[in-house]
Amino acid sequence: MTSLPLRSPLTEDACDGKRLQIIAHARTHQKVVELFSSFKSRGKVLEIPAGEGALAWRLQQLGYTVTAGDIDPTFFKVPTIPCLFLDMNRKFPIEDDQFHFVSCIEGIEHLQDPFRFIRECHRVLQPEGILVLSTPNILNLASRLKFLFSGFYSLVPKPINEFSKVPVFDHINPTTYYQLRYMLHTQGFEITLVTTDFFRRSALGLCFLRPLSQLYSIRTMRKEGDPQQRIANREIRRVLASPELLFGRTLILVARKRQNQDIPTIQASEV
């Protein structure tokens, strides 16, 4: 059963969206708003993790019926939107097939069990429902170069604090595009769009490495014996060589709840 929603003590007039803290990068936030603006139909959205509610508020303004979820609902500040207590590492307190959309912006890299999270998103989505997901793009060229010399990706700049009592704030599980693709495609989704928020100048400055990156991708995948996976690998290589992956700061995916187990074709967007 769905748990009772919690609301902040603010009055409705006290929130116009302008004073709400945007937890993600502002351009990531704006790109996700643009994606939701482009969808042909409106419907019910589960927005997690909601933070103060900046994105939830924007989606409500677009005409969506929004339910927020966060591990600390008392932090949520939009009184016109219900906010559930929701631990993204556990089963959602929501019945099956309740939402047309799930939005998870900069959340999956904080989770102990991202596979379980993807399954829960699939469970609460209606047939053909849409998951919009973002995470730091650790495969852009600047991040790869940083990893080569330091052993750490961009936006994962140092060892995780193993003594922290609040691990939810650390990027404990940075995830690549091909890992996310595997999670989504094996848990009942098909990726329909790969995009980004903006191109990093530091990554664009390394564009001369693009042919070398493509060559090594081909060499890495050439020994695959499964014919189906070889077809999938061609698509993976194409996306890995796209500007969105090589130069983008944030990896943003749109995935549809799949009704069959066919492996889909993915389109990288024009950014």
Side-chain angles (χ1 to χ4, degrees):
M1 297 293 292
T2 302
S3 62
L4 291 175
L6 300 176
R7 297 178 186 268
S8 73
L10 299 179
T11 65
E12 183 172 345
D13 292 339
C15 179
D16 62 2
K18 295 179 181 179
R19 291 183 291 168
L20 298 171
Q21 181 184 7
I22 297 175
I23 303 299
H25 193 287
R27 291 172 72 173
T28 310
H29 178 97
Q30 183 57 34
K31 181 66 178 183
V32 171
V33 171
E34 291 171 5
L35 285 173
F36 274 94
S37 298
S38 71
F39 294 148
K40 294 180 179 179
S41 62
R42 301 295 188 255
K44 295 188 293 183
V45 182
L46 176 64
E47 211 293 287
I48 50 176
E52 289 190 1
L55 181 57
W57 184 86
R58 291 289 299 276
L59 297 181
Q60 185 184 63
Q61 299 306 301
L62 290 175
Y64 290 92
T65 302
V66 183
T67 298
D70 200 272
I71 199 167
D72 184 5
T74 62
F75 193 58
F76 192 74
K77 296 182 179 179
V78 185
T80 57
I81 297 175
C83 185
L84 310 173
F85 169 79
L86 193 149
D87 184 344
M88 292 164 58
N89 284 301
R90 301 180 182 276
K91 184 176 180 178
F92 298 173
I94 298 168
E95 296 178 354
D96 296 356
D97 304 328
Q98 293 297 302
F99 292 94
H100 303 97
F101 303 88
V102 173
S103 170
C104 178
I105 308 309
E106 306 300 284
I108 196 169
E109 66 274 10
H110 299 274
L111 301 183
Q112 297 171 348
D113 190 351
F115 277 89
R116 179 170 186 168
F117 168 74
I118 295 296
R119 287 194 293 271
E120 282 298 288
C121 290
H122 186 275
R123 181 180 66 79
V124 302
L125 279 169
Q126 296 182 7
E128 301 294 314
I130 297 294
L131 170 63
V132 178
L133 180 73
S134 84
T135 194
N137 176 23
I138 60 175
L139 287 183
N140 69 62
L141 289 175
S143 181
R144 296 189 201 190
L145 186 63
K146 181 174 182 177
F147 183 83
L148 175 64
F149 288 108
S150 72
F152 296 95
Y153 296 108
S154 295
L155 304 180
V156 193
K158 59 184 179 180
I160 300 166
N161 184 353
E162 60 195 82
F163 304 102
S164 171
K165 298 184 183 300
V166 192
V168 70
F169 293 116
D170 288 317
H171 290 181
I172 63 174
N173 222 335
T175 308
T176 65
Y177 159 73
Y178 52 83
Q179 289 170 316
L180 276 172
R181 174 187 167 112
Y182 178 80
M183 292 180 201
L184 290 164
H185 284 197
T186 59
Q187 305 305 313
F189 284 96
E190 58 175 327
I191 299 174
T192 60
L193 183 68
V194 180
T195 187
T196 191
D197 47 2
F198 65 95
F199 294 158
R200 295 183 60 191
R201 286 194 295 268
S202 56
L204 287 168
L206 298 170
C207 63
F208 64 91
L209 294 175
R210 186 178 185 181
L212 190 61
S213 170
Q214 291 174 290
L215 175 63
Y216 270 89
S217 292
I218 293 171
R219 292 190 63 184
T220 298
M221 301 181 196
R222 66 182 179 180
K223 294 183 179 180
E224 175 58 58
D226 187 322
Q228 288 182 297
Q229 187 59 44
R230 284 202 299 271
I231 295 172
N233 284 352
R234 286 197 291 271
E235 179 60 39
I236 291 170
R237 284 199 302 270
R238 187 180 70 79
V239 176
L240 289 178
S242 68
E244 290 80 10
L245 264 290
L246 289 179
F247 309 126
R249 179 190 182 273
T250 302
L251 174 62
I252 303 174
L253 302 178
V254 178
R256 185 182 302 276
K257 183 173 178 177
R258 193 167 66 235
Q259 299 305 302
N260 56 59
Q261 297 303 310
D262 295 336
I263 298 298
T265 297
I266 301 160
Q267 299 297 322
S269 75
E270 294 291 332
V271 179

